[in-house]
């Protein structure tokens, strides 16, 4: 009974602060910023990858970003992304690509703002420090995608060599498609850990952020499944928005994702406040 009361108190605190912290409007801001940052990030990443000789990067990046999205949402957007990324660019060090990196870092900054509100912390770090950190996130994500791209290129060769020497491994190797999902899921988890630990002001232990990350992952799975089912059976986006339907679907989907992400931060903060309050109670 005591655990149920504690759970209700934590959930009430998290939902109450989500509403008080303008979580609904912050989710809208986060969704639009994410959509606006997506193309600049992929342009910057693809240009850097091409400069380094990784020509197959674009396909890998699209898979890593969109494989975990419902197909109804991912397919229209991914087609446009591929169209953008297949344009030949040789302007790695020009203002255009540098601006793309800057605009991509705006997405990181919106995550920081949302988490600072969720954790109820005041930002004391300088603008320059925060922007450099955001650009570092963009660059690290690019390098990570690049490494994964190279690994996936060599994956079939590694699989063939493994099977040639250890035929018993065949049932456990699965397919490249399966491994793409696995890699994309790992990238998401590591990304969530990184943003919760390093983006907001203050310091948090790994154990402090685990509940919110689990909630976020489960919420994303449930939310995307429900929204995909809605699109399949009840949606009238195409008739309502015509040519803008794919964009509107993406915005609504990202809004759901953003709302769950912010609630994950609020949940972590509520749990921390609950245990801090209990620690102050004598006995």
């Amino acid at each position: 009974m005591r655990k149920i009361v504690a759970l209700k108190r934590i959930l009430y605190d998290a939902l109450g602060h989500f509403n008080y912290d303008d979580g609904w409007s912050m989710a809208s801001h986060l969704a639009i910023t994410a959509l606006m940052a997506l193309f600049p990030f992929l342009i910057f990443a693809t240009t850097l990858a091409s400069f380094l000789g990784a020509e197959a990067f674009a396909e890998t990046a699209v898979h890593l970003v969109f494989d975990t999205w419902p197909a109804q949402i991912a397919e229209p957007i991914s087609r446009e992304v591929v169209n953008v990324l297949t344009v030949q660019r040789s302007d790695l060090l020009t203002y255009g690509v540098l601006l793309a990196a800057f605009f991509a870092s705006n997405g990181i900054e919106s995550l920081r703002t949302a988490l600072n509100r969720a954790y109820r912390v005041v930002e004391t770090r300088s603008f320059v420090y925060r922007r450099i950190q955001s650009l570092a996130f963009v660059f690290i994500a690019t390098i990570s995608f690049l490494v994964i791209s190279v690994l996936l290129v060599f994956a079939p060769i590694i699989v063939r060599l493994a099977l040639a020497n250890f035929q018993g491994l065949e049932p456990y190797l699965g397919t490249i498609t399966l491994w793409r999902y696995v890699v994309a899921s790992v990238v998401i988890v590591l990304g969530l850990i990184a943003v919760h630990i390093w983006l907001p002001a203050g310091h948090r232990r790994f154990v402090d952020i685990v509940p919110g990350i689990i909630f976020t992952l489960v919420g994303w799975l449930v939310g995307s499944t429900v929204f995909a089912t809605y699109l399949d059976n009840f949606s009238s986006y195409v008739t309502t928005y015509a040519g803008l339907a794919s964009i509107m679907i993406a915005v609504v989907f990202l809004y759901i994702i953003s709302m769950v992400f912010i609630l994950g931060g609020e949940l972590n903060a509520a749990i921390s406040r609950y245990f801090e309050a209990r620690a102050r109670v004598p006995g």
Side-chain angles (χ1 to χ4, degrees):
M1 185 65 182
R2 187 175 180 179
K3 291 182 179 179
I4 296 176
V5 172
L7 180 61
K8 288 174 62 177
R9 185 174 299 175
I10 289 171
L11 291 177
Y12 180 80
D13 185 20
L15 292 172
H17 278 97
F18 175 81
N19 188 60
Y20 181 80
D21 293 336
D22 298 320
W24 307 104
S25 57
M26 181 55 66
S28 298
H29 166 71
L30 197 55
I32 296 299
T33 307
L35 190 61
M36 293 178 64
L38 178 62
F39 280 89
F41 166 70
L42 290 174
I43 289 171
F44 171 77
T46 305
T47 306
L48 179 60
S50 299
F51 178 77
L52 297 176
E55 302 298 337
F57 175 84
E59 182 181 353
T60 303
V62 169
H63 281 299
L64 287 174
V65 173
F66 294 107
D67 272 355
T68 53
W69 291 32
Q72 304 92 321
I73 304 166
E75 287 178 4
I77 301 297
S78 61
R79 283 198 300 267
E80 297 304 320
V81 170
V82 170
N83 290 337
V84 171
L85 298 186
T86 51
V87 175
Q88 294 295 321
R89 294 182 178 84
S90 57
D91 54 348
L92 173 66
L93 298 179
T94 63
Y95 294 115
V97 175
L98 294 178
L99 281 175
F102 179 82
F103 289 135
S105 71
N106 287 339
I108 306 297
E109 286 300 312
S110 66
L111 294 175
R112 187 198 308 278
T113 302
L115 288 177
N116 277 338
R117 287 196 177 196
Y119 285 112
R120 296 215 148 196
V121 291
V122 177
E123 187 59 71
T124 58
R125 295 166 293 183
S126 69
F127 168 81
V128 174
Y129 175 89
R130 297 196 308 270
R131 185 58 67 170
I132 291 175
Q133 187 187 48
S134 296
L135 289 169
F137 265 79
V138 172
F139 187 75
I140 291 171
T142 301
I143 297 300
S144 300
F145 278 28
L146 179 59
V147 171
I148 293 169
S149 175
V150 173
L151 290 176
L152 288 178
V153 168
F154 286 102
I157 300 174
I158 297 172
V159 168
R160 284 197 297 270
L161 290 174
L163 290 177
N165 294 279
F166 306 98
Q167 294 184 358
L169 291 176
E170 186 171 1
Y172 305 100
L173 290 177
T175 63
I176 295 298
T177 301
L178 173 63
W179 282 106
R180 279 208 304 258
Y181 280 107
V182 172
V183 170
S185 300
V186 171
V187 168
I188 289 173
V189 172
L190 293 178
L192 284 172
I193 293 172
V195 299
H196 275 275
I197 288 180
W198 287 302
L199 281 188
H203 300 281
R204 280 151 299 279
R205 299 172 301 168
F206 175 74
V207 68
D208 295 330
I209 66 173
V210 169
I213 290 176
I214 294 174
F215 173 85
T216 301
L217 293 172
V218 174
W220 282 353
L221 179 62
V222 173
S224 60
T225 301
V226 171
F227 188 53
T229 303
Y230 166 75
L231 291 176
D232 280 338
N233 297 285
F234 308 106
S235 173
S236 59
Y237 277 95
V238 174
T239 56
T240 304
Y241 296 104
L244 296 176
S246 60
I247 296 297
M248 288 304 302
I249 289 172
V251 168
V252 173
F253 174 70
L254 288 173
Y255 178 80
I256 295 171
I257 295 299
S258 300
M259 186 172 60
V260 173
F261 172 78
I262 296 171
L263 278 170
E266 293 283 3
L267 180 63
N268 286 337
I271 292 173
S272 295
R273 283 192 294 270
Y274 173 77
F275 283 109
E276 288 172 3
R278 281 197 59 185
R280 290 194 295 267
V281 176

